[in-house]
């Protein structure tokens, strides 16, 4: 998940640094972390819509899908073990990201990445060769552990190695590699499903070993980051590494700042308790509400279950897999739009526009499905226009997410936390995201069965709420240096009152001459 612990530099301050081979290799390895995460997000939906897979592991679902009596289509996939297969990964990721944050801090970023790669490898192998449901679920849990380690260490590694001026682009770059991973999974599912003999799902699930190997081998060769070496007391080693990473002899300015930042962060004794202070209310709101809302856009209903969903609403198996390739492609392209526009149009514009666009699409899709399937879930003949309209509006919805809540759901939290609470607040952000990813994955098929087409209206309701939150409570953070962020909250109509209290407490050091206020 995007940039976590980069050390902020002062306004206008630029450390020299080149795009050295080290930085390039780092980006490739980091991209593998994102790719693998995306691959796991995208792969399960396609696999669970493949008949040979269902027949082998979930015969009940298979017979309800192909039952003689016209079953209620909304409920054909409603099976708890099946959802467990998808969602167990996120629960494991949540648990392991807590352990991973300690490993990453105490032992370094490199061992965490290595462990992440090895766990991925084991999980993919177990899934590819699975003979029983437990092997599937244990495999997914291993993949989840891998995600916990990789998502904690890779973005940190990235933001600490990247030259300062490339950090923002690399941040969304990580999200881009997630969307590419989802797309690759969708495309492979489409082709593997056609393999005669019905073992294509093994290739789909086992395919994750390719990026797992690259991540594992890559992290063996990469050096640990200077920040991490300093944090663990190897200061001279850190200076040498920084020289090699930047490709320069004189790295004193950046090096001294890294040492200072590390000293400062060591002085923070209770980052978690700190978070409870009144002045951090706006940050707590961001760390909890942004990931919660991101998941309640309903995006993962599409990402996890697109083929199952398209199948449920009347598409054949092949058309379902094809439709998810299309949504996957839209996801990647729209993320590029975000990279282009985020510093031009600003975060708020993208959030608000994306929200409005998602809302309209959700209402239209609900209306279409409702009109055809009604309450009892029996559509009869489905006309062509229906398929086209549904796929079209799902694509427009995915595009809206991919240039708003997708990347910004990670970018905005990473840039608003002050250094002294950054790692704690970021852990909250990641954990909340994983909890709600798990919940959506776990209850979706059941909700589809009960709420029917109303499911889309359920998420539409949350889109309205989150858009109101952005409009009234999220200030614009475009082009604001990280240390000046407090000024943004201080001049906000609502959050200002939480910040001003600090004046009387004397906890805030006021810099003279109308400069930014710092509370380090
Ligand atoms: C979200 C994931 C989602 C993905 C879709 C990410 O930002 O955190 O839950 O599946 O975007 O592209």
């Amino acid at each position: 998940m995007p940039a976590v612990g980069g050390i902020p530099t002062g306004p206008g301050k630029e450390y020299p640094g080149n795009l050295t081979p080290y930085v390039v290799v780092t980006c490739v390895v980091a991209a593998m972390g994102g790719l693998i995460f995306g691959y796991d997000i995208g792969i399960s939906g396609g696999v669970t819509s493949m008949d040979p897979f269902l027949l082998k592991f979930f015969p009940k679902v298979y017979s309800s899908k192909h039952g003689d009596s016209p079953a209620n289509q909304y409920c054909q996939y409603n099976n708890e073990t099946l959802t467990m297969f998808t969602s167990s990964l996120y629960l494991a990721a949540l648990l392991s990201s807590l352990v991973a944050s300690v490993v990453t801090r105490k032992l370094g970023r490199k061992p965490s990445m290595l462990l992440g790669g090895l766990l991925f490898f084991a999980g993919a192998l177990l899934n590819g060769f699975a003979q029983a449901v437990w092997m599937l679920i244990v495999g997914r849990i291993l993949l989840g552990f891998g995600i916990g380690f990789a998502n904690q260490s890779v973005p940190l590694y990235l933001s600490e190695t990247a030259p300062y001026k490339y950090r923002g682009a690399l941040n969304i770059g990580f999200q881009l590699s997630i969307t590419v991973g989802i797309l690759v999974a969708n495309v492979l599912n489409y082709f593997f499903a056609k393999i005669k003999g019905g073992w294509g799902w093994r290739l789909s699930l086992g395919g994750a070993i390719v990026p797992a190997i690259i991540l594992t081998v890559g992290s063996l060769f990469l050096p640990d980051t200077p920040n991490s070496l300093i944090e663990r007391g190897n200061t001279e080693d850190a200076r040498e590494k920084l020289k090699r990473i930047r490709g320069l002899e004189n790295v004193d300015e950046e090096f001294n700042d890294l040492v200072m930042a590390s000293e400062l962060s060591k002085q923070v004794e209770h980052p978690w308790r700190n978070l409870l202070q009144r002045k951090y209310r706006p940050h707590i709101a961001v760390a909890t509400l942004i990931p919660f809302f991101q998941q309640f856009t309903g995006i993962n209903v599409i990402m996890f279950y697109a083929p199952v969903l398209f199948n449920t609403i009347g598409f054949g198996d092949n058309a379902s897999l094809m439709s998810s390739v299309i949504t996957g492609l839209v996801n990647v392209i729209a993320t590029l739009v975000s990279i282009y526009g985020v510093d031009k149009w600003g975060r708020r514009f993208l959030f608000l526009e994306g929200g409005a666009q998602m809302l309209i699409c959700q209402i239209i899709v609900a209306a279409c499905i409702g009109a055809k399937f009604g309450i009892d879930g029996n559509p009869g003949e489905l006309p062509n226009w229906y398929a086209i309209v549904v796929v079209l509006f799902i694509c427009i919805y995915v595009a809206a997410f991919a240039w708003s809540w997708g990347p910004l759901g990670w970018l905005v939290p990473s840039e608003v936390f002050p250094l002294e609470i950054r790692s704690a607040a970021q852990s909250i952000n990641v954990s909340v995201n994983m909890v709600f990813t798990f919940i959506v994955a776990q209850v979706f098929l059941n909700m589809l069965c009960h709420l029917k087409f109303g499911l889309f209206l359920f998420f539409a309701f949350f889109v309205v709420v989150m858009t109101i939150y952005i409009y009234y409570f999220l200030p614009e953070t475009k082009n604001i240096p990280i240390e000046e962020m407090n000024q943004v909250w201080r001049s906000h109509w609502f959050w200002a009152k939480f910040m001003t209290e600090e004046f009387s407490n004397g906890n805030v050091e006021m810099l003279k001459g109308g400069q930014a206020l710092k509370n380090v």
Side-chain angles (χ1 to χ4, degrees):
M1 254 128 264
V4 185
I7 305 303
T9 61
K13 194 167 184 177
E14 276 189 20
Y15 304 124
N18 304 320
L19 265 187
T20 57
Y22 265 125
V23 176
V24 175
V25 173
T26 304
C27 293
V28 172
V29 174
M32 289 307 127
L35 204 74
I36 243 174
F37 184 39
Y39 191 85
D40 289 328
I41 290 174
I43 206 74
S44 55
V47 168
T48 46
S49 75
M50 293 181 195
D51 281 346
F53 176 82
L54 288 177
L55 201 57
K56 183 165 175 68
F57 298 108
F58 304 96
K60 271 205 199 123
V61 180
Y62 179 84
S63 50
S64 106
K65 186 177 165 192
H66 296 278
D68 296 334
S69 56
N72 178 347
Q73 290 228 36
Y74 289 124
C75 299
Q76 57 176 329
Y77 283 98
N78 185 15
N79 175 296
E80 264 164 35
T81 329
L82 189 68
T83 25
M84 208 42 171
F85 166 65
T86 300
S87 64
S88 51
L89 184 147
Y90 300 93
L91 203 56
L94 167 68
L95 295 179
S96 69
S97 67
L98 302 177
V99 182
S101 74
V102 181
V103 175
T104 313
R105 204 177 57 236
K106 295 252 156 81
L107 302 179
R109 285 67 172 129
K110 191 178 150 132
S112 265
M113 283 203 296
L114 185 62
L115 204 58
L118 289 172
L119 287 162
F120 275 134
F121 184 78
L125 215 58
L126 201 60
N127 268 345
F129 287 105
Q131 295 300 334
V133 174
W134 72 263
M135 290 174 82
L136 286 180
I137 297 195
V138 173
R140 289 287 283 181
I141 291 177
L142 287 174
L143 290 172
F145 285 145
I147 286 177
F149 277 92
N151 280 2
Q152 171 77 22
S153 51
V154 172
L156 259 178
Y157 196 102
L158 244 184
S159 64
E160 290 174 349
T161 318
Y164 170 62
K165 49 182 184 270
Y166 299 110
R167 193 178 293 145
L170 287 177
N171 191 307
I172 300 191
F174 191 72
Q175 168 75 14
L176 184 67
S177 62
I178 296 178
T179 61
V180 171
I182 298 176
L183 176 64
V184 170
N186 292 336
V187 171
L188 291 184
N189 272 338
Y190 178 76
F191 288 108
F192 291 157
K194 293 181 192 299
I195 290 179
K196 301 250 167 3
W199 47 270
W201 62 267
R202 290 194 184 278
L203 291 182
S204 295
L205 295 180
I209 62 168
V210 177
I213 292 174
I214 301 180
L215 183 64
T216 311
V217 175
S219 61
L220 277 178
F221 287 105
L222 288 174
D224 222 328
T225 66
N227 314 49
S228 173
L229 289 167
I230 294 171
E231 209 174 6
R232 288 175 292 131
N234 305 330
T235 328
E236 272 324 296
D237 197 9
R239 188 195 287 273
E240 289 312 306
K241 289 275 153 50
L242 188 63
K243 282 185 193 167
R244 275 165 69 189
I245 292 172
R246 294 283 174 260
L248 297 167
E249 263 312 300
N250 186 355
V251 287
D252 291 352
E253 192 184 2
E254 181 173 7
F255 181 74
N256 292 340
D257 281 358
L258 290 181
V259 173
M260 207 169 74
S262 163
E263 290 304 317
L264 275 177
S265 71
K266 276 186 195 144
Q267 282 167 19
V268 181
E269 279 177 30
H270 304 288
W272 291 93
R273 207 184 303 157
N274 261 352
L275 270 175
L276 297 177
Q277 292 173 25
R278 195 174 148 83
K279 64 178 171 187
Y280 296 129
R281 289 296 141 80
H283 309 93
I284 293 280
V286 166
T288 51
L289 289 177
I290 297 268
F292 165 76
F293 284 143
Q294 191 205 47
Q295 290 307 315
F296 273 73
T297 54
I299 188 65
N300 280 326
V301 161
I302 310 292
M303 294 303 142
F304 296 159
Y305 296 113
V308 168
L309 180 76
F310 287 127
N311 224 250
T312 302
I313 60 180
F315 294 24
D317 286 355
N318 196 40
S320 298
L321 289 171
M322 192 61 216
S323 309
S324 50
V325 171
I326 297 173
T327 54
L329 200 61
V330 169
N331 195 17
V332 174
I333 295 169
T335 306
L336 292 172
V337 173
S338 193
I339 294 182
Y340 174 79
V342 70
D343 291 320
K344 275 199 168 66
W345 311 317
R347 285 70 167 141
R348 276 171 58 85
F349 172 78
L350 286 173
F351 267 130
L352 297 175
E353 191 284 335
Q357 190 171 323
M358 283 194 283
L359 179 67
I360 295 169
C361 295
Q362 283 165 322
I363 293 173
I364 294 177
V365 170
C368 286
I369 300 178
K372 279 283 132 202
F373 284 76
I375 304 285
D376 60 1
N378 275 315
E381 274 296 294
L382 288 168
N384 260 345
W385 67 259
Y386 164 83
I388 293 170
V389 171
V390 170
V391 173
L392 183 69
F393 281 93
I394 288 188
C395 284
I396 302 177
Y397 160 85
V398 168
F401 174 87
W403 61 54
S404 62
W405 282 89
L408 300 183
W410 295 109
L411 176 65
V412 169
S414 83
E415 64 188 10
V416 300
F417 304 140
L419 180 64
E420 69 275 17
I421 58 161
R422 189 168 305 150
S423 71
Q426 181 66 13
S427 300
I428 296 184
N429 178 39
V430 176
S431 312
V432 172
N433 198 294
M434 289 300 145
V435 169
F436 288 103
T437 307
F438 169 75
I439 291 176
V440 170
Q442 185 62 27
V443 302
F444 163 68
L445 294 177
N446 193 283
M447 277 170 75
L448 180 65
C449 178
H450 292 103
L451 289 180
K452 307 178 168 77
F453 61 89
L455 180 65
F456 293 90
L457 300 178
F458 170 85
F459 287 118
F461 166 78
F462 282 99
V463 170
V464 173
V465 178
M466 67 188 78
T467 306
I468 294 175
Y469 163 76
I470 297 292
Y471 187 80
Y472 287 107
F473 298 104
L474 192 82
E476 181 58 65
T477 51
K478 169 183 95 167
N479 295 340
I480 312 249
I482 294 184
E483 316 87 298
E484 307 233 332
M485 218 46 95
N486 270 331
Q487 193 55 38
V488 168
W489 300 110
R490 285 209 167 79
S491 46
H492 188 266
W493 73 273
F494 180 78
W495 297 116
K497 57 176 174 281
F498 291 87
M499 313 301 286
T500 47
E501 198 204 35
E502 300 303 326
F503 290 113
S504 51
N505 286 350
N507 288 347
V508 173
E509 179 195 341
M510 178 118 143
L511 297 181
K512 302 261 159 43
Q515 287 180 42
L517 296 159
K518 285 196 185 182
N519 51 2
V520 183

